[in-house]
Amino acid sequence: TFQNPMSKYADPKEIARIKASPRVAKYFDKGMKQHLQSQTFIKKNSDGSVEFSLEYTQPIEVLPLIKKWLPDLKILSPQSLEDALRADLEVYLKLD
């Protein structure tokens, strides 16, 4: 299934594990409207943060959502997605 125009039908899906800070956790909590079709609630932490997962076929499929909620979303895994985000942010910060 496609969750947005960046989904690749034939490519294998990867799973990202994301942590939402206590400040925005209510928007990612269990039972709240999903931001992407593949969003799955994992757990609520004792500090009030929330962990959830997203399936994706390429980083550009989920990075816009993550960037929209910075600095309140943290990529826990995979490292390759965190690296892609950091590379995008470094390019942005170097723009004139």
Side-chain angles (χ1 to χ4, degrees):
T1 59
F2 287 93
Q3 67 183 346
N4 66 34
M6 299 302 166
S7 301
K8 289 186 168 182
Y9 178 73
D11 288 6
K13 294 179 182 174
E14 296 187 53
I15 298 175
R17 190 172 178 129
I18 313 293
K19 182 178 179 180
S21 74
R23 188 168 72 163
V24 300
K26 66 182 177 183
Y27 302 109
F28 298 90
D29 209 347
K30 190 173 186 172
M32 292 299 288
K33 181 181 175 188
Q34 295 178 320
H35 297 274
L36 294 175
Q37 184 179 356
S38 68
Q39 183 176 327
T40 304
F41 175 84
I42 297 174
K43 68 177 183 175
K44 188 165 193 161
N45 298 313
S46 60
D47 66 355
S49 64
V50 166
E51 293 182 29
F52 63 96
S53 66
L54 297 170
E55 290 182 355
Y56 67 100
T57 55
Q58 58 179 343
I60 197 167
E61 192 174 343
V62 295
L63 284 179
L65 171 69
I66 295 166
K67 290 175 187 175
K68 178 180 176 180
W69 290 89
L70 286 177
D72 291 299
L73 292 188
K74 169 82 173 125
I75 299 170
L76 300 176
S77 67
Q79 185 61 46
S80 59
L81 185 61
E82 173 74 14
D83 294 343
L85 174 62
R86 287 181 179 273
D88 282 359
L89 294 175
E90 286 176 11
V91 168
Y92 174 75
L93 292 173
K94 290 179 183 177
L95 291 176
D96 291 306

